[in-house]
Amino acid sequence: MSSPPPSPTARPFGRTLCAMITPFTPTGALDLDGAQRLADRLVTHGCDGLVLSGTTGESPTTTDAEKSSLITAVRRAVGTRASVIAGVGTSDTRHTAGLAREAEQAGADGLLVVAPYYSRPPQDAIEAHFREIADTTELPLVLYDIPARTGVRIEPDTLLRLAEHPRIVAVKDCSYDFLAAQKVLARTDLAYYAGCDEHNLALYAVGGAGCVSTVANVVPDHVRAVLDAFDAGDTARAARLQQRATALIEAMMADGLPGTVTAKALLTTLGLPAGPVRPPLRPAGRETTDGLRAVYDRLAGPGGTGPL
């Protein structure tokens, strides 16, 4: 007998969220038309929400004005068909608060706020940072725990305290600490989204809300199909689909290049909006791109989930 899917309140932004790349023109300018076309495709092919201006969206190299313009453009493209979550996290609390207000005005449904990076503040300072941002607007917050990039954890005890704030509703988990995630899940109502594609099914199976997927930029149907199969009670099919995606996840996320670079390389081969990456990132080479496309074709072709 299958278990019922999580209630809608347990996944405030949907289940299948894409950490969307930010398309640029060939000269490196923001490509708003391309962003709208890509956003529409992602939602049409199964994404419930789009996370803009995260790491995959090259937030370190886009301006505040570009971030706001991107939210407005994507909001127009998807309307009410999907949630729009804006990445506003920086290492500066005042700057983050300002970005949060601008995102609210531009039409975002929620905010993705990463732990303050580089300065490595202690836990009480991290907690104060998040509380200040949560008090800045009326939008709900997704806390982003990715210590490999920030240099600091959002410790489980800190998350337990922050869960008491009415606008702190979710976590994007890239901690690679599965036990800690389960402890927080067991003691709070925070919606946990897997931020590492290899954990999408595993975290969902223990009560997670879904995923914020970089791989969904190129195979949104497949990422959604894993969770659909689990919700339908066909856990064996869900496992097979997750396993089938392993080669693409590894190629895109664990082969020495940032997911932004590999996603843009693949999207370009598919004739979809992407454009170059901004320095200091560099584009994937021809050999890497050909390898990525070969892995993609195996997943999208016979035995996969079909053409995308």
Side-chain angles (χ1 to χ4, degrees):
M1 182 180 231
S2 65
S3 300
S7 67
T9 56
R11 43 195 190 212
F13 305 107
R15 294 178 315 161
T16 309
L17 279 58
C18 178
M20 195 177 106
I21 61 106
T22 300
F24 298 133
T25 68
T27 59
L30 183 63
D31 181 4
L32 292 178
D33 178 68
Q36 289 183 314
R37 288 187 285 119
L38 180 61
D40 179 72
R41 175 185 182 271
L42 291 171
V43 173
T44 299
H45 284 271
C47 290
D48 305 312
L50 303 174
V51 177
L52 309 179
S53 298
T55 310
T56 304
E58 298 180 73
S59 60
T61 55
T62 56
T63 67
D64 293 0
E66 286 175 327
K67 290 177 174 66
S68 291
S69 296
L70 182 64
I71 297 165
T72 301
V74 169
R75 175 89 281 163
R76 288 174 180 162
V78 304
T80 60
R81 293 180 295 150
S83 300
V84 175
I85 300 94
V88 299
T90 75
S91 56
D92 177 352
T93 301
R94 288 181 298 176
H95 187 194
T96 302
L99 286 174
R101 288 189 289 270
E102 291 170 9
E104 184 176 38
Q105 293 168 2
D109 297 305
L111 305 172
L112 178 73
V113 188
V114 72
Y117 45 84
Y118 189 75
S119 54
R120 301 182 67 181
Q123 291 297 303
D124 61 340
I126 292 172
E127 181 178 346
H129 171 84
F130 286 129
R131 288 186 182 277
E132 182 166 339
I133 307 310
D135 290 336
T136 295
T137 77
E138 296 301 314
L139 295 181
L141 265 63
V142 183
L143 306 185
Y144 187 7
D145 189 16
I146 182 166
R149 288 185 182 270
T150 62
V152 293
R153 281 290 308 272
I154 311 174
E155 295 291 349
D157 286 346
T158 304
L159 287 168
L160 294 177
R161 292 190 297 272
L162 287 168
E164 298 170 358
H165 195 291
R167 282 189 294 280
I168 295 176
V169 302
V171 175
K172 180 184 176 185
D173 182 41
C174 288
S175 68
Y176 283 93
D177 189 342
F178 203 62
L179 178 59
Q182 291 178 78
K183 288 166 64 175
V184 177
L185 272 169
R187 295 177 58 185
T188 73
D189 292 325
L190 289 172
Y192 254 73
Y193 288 93
C196 309
D197 278 274
E198 62 269 35
H199 289 176
N200 289 354
L201 179 58
L203 188 59
Y204 196 62
V206 297
C211 59
V212 179
S213 168
T214 295
V215 173
N217 278 284
V218 292
V219 286
D221 311 66
H222 193 98
V223 173
R224 183 183 182 95
V226 173
L227 306 185
D228 282 346
F230 187 87
D231 280 350
D234 194 344
T235 56
R237 174 173 168 75
R240 287 195 302 272
L241 289 169
Q242 179 70 35
Q243 292 162 9
R244 195 171 290 157
T246 299
L248 183 60
I249 294 169
E250 184 174 20
M252 288 185 66
M253 306 302 296
D255 200 25
L257 289 175
T260 304
V261 173
T262 55
K264 282 194 163 184
L266 261 178
L267 287 168
T268 298
T269 72
L270 296 168
L272 294 167
V277 292
R278 284 182 175 173
L281 296 180
R282 301 179 68 185
R286 173 50 53 192
E287 183 178 353
T288 297
T289 300
D290 289 346
L292 284 164
R293 182 57 191 261
V295 175
Y296 168 87
D297 287 342
R298 288 195 294 272
L299 179 63
T305 48
L308 302 178

